[in-house]
Amino acid sequence: MDRGVWITWYDLPEARRDAYLAWAHETYIPEMLKRPGYVWGAHFATVAKGARATNARDSRNVADDPGLPRGDRYMLIFGARDADVFGNPGPTALHAGLPASSRDMLALRAGERMNLFAEAGRVEGPERDSCPAGSGLPGCIQVGAYNTGWQDEEEMLAFYTQWRMPAMGRTPGCVRIRKLASVAGWAKHGVLYEFMSLQARNEHFMKHEDGHPDMKAWGDRVTKKLTHAPGSSTLAERIWPPVAAK
């Protein structure tokens, strides 16, 4: 139902942030979801660095291209039937046809960067029933967007297929993991981790390789060859639709 994923990363000016968020949640996203093929929409705010569990291995090679936009405070994500939905029309043409008031709001986005992805594979996790496939995204996600040399892509595919994705399928608190292939945007590759909550991610994700030193070594070898987009991997909590209070 939702094999196409459109992700937009950006920042917002503090003075107009509340006005933009009200427009995005009350007008923009609901109107987009009326379009043929669009299945769901979700808006996320990046987690502050101090709230992110990490370790010494969590280092990244980041793209140094000065022309690459560097916004990463928010992620607006749409799911569609497939990636072709986002080509008819494309995001640029779609936005150009919006009313002037909406275009003014879109202009508030700073450092805006976009990728259109086709889902290449997915594995459902232990919490899949809490957020059924095709219903949207759960309360916490982690998104990696990156490139690597073509010579290293086969090994990267093998690593995700043979280890990382099956491991997420066994990790407590994980809803699912999706491997993404870009059809438009800077990053050629992407990975979308879906978790029940930030607490669940912080507690369990960092432990999924414990007891598997061979897999840790393989992961280190693969990840050191990746060049990430600014802010990647991005850890974020959902701000729309609102997450129900427990």
Side-chain angles (χ1 to χ4, degrees):
M1 289 181 61
D2 58 349
R3 301 292 179 169
V5 180
W6 170 8
I7 306 178
T8 305
W9 296 262
Y10 57 94
D11 299 332
L12 290 172
E14 189 65 27
R16 299 291 306 280
R17 180 179 63 88
D18 290 345
Y20 171 89
L21 293 178
W23 166 80
H25 300 164
E26 298 168 15
T27 301
Y28 177 70
I29 299 176
E31 287 298 319
M32 294 289 283
L33 294 180
K34 296 177 183 178
R35 301 193 60 82
Y38 283 66
V39 178
W40 49 258
H43 201 193
F44 289 82
T46 302
V47 170
K49 297 296 184 184
R52 174 179 181 146
T54 187
N55 58 33
R57 299 171 63 242
D58 193 25
S59 58
R60 298 287 184 269
N61 299 315
V62 180
D64 58 4
D65 180 354
L68 183 63
R70 308 189 73 82
D72 66 354
R73 182 67 185 87
Y74 296 92
M75 282 190 293
L76 184 55
I77 308 179
F78 289 105
R81 180 185 63 245
D82 54 48
D84 282 353
V85 169
F86 301 130
N88 187 25
T92 301
L94 192 159
H95 286 165
L98 294 179
S101 57
S102 291
R103 297 198 304 273
D104 288 344
M105 285 295 176
L106 288 170
L108 294 176
R109 296 178 179 178
E112 182 179 0
R113 185 177 68 258
M114 177 197 73
N115 256 101
L116 305 178
F117 289 110
E119 185 177 308
R122 79 166 65 181
V123 170
E124 300 290 323
E127 297 292 344
R128 57 188 176 275
D129 292 340
S130 67
C131 187
S135 66
L137 296 176
C140 178
I141 62 172
Q142 181 172 314
V143 178
Y146 44 80
N147 293 322
T148 193
W150 64 266
Q151 302 92 332
D152 302 312
E153 289 180 324
E154 185 176 340
E155 183 183 22
M156 183 184 70
L157 175 63
F159 168 74
Y160 274 99
T161 304
Q162 297 176 31
W163 169 248
R164 175 59 61 82
M165 295 180 73
M168 288 295 101
R170 301 184 293 268
T171 298
C174 181
V175 175
R176 67 183 55 86
I177 177 175
R178 311 183 198 214
K179 185 70 175 67
L180 307 173
S182 177
V183 298
W186 177 86
K188 183 177 178 181
H189 302 280
V191 60
L192 171 58
Y193 301 88
E194 305 176 30
F195 299 99
M196 280 298 298
S197 65
L198 176 62
Q199 179 180 357
R201 181 269 178 197
N202 282 345
E203 181 177 356
H204 300 293
F205 177 72
M206 306 308 298
K207 302 176 182 177
H208 78 275
E209 290 179 331
D210 288 357
H212 300 275
D214 54 336
M215 294 298 103
K216 281 188 176 183
W218 194 10
D220 285 346
R221 186 167 68 248
V222 169
T223 56
K224 286 178 180 178
K225 297 176 182 178
L226 306 181
T227 300
H228 282 257
S232 176
S233 59
T234 310
L235 182 62
E237 291 185 287
R238 200 180 75 208
I239 57 175
W240 193 96
V243 177
K246 295 183 180 180

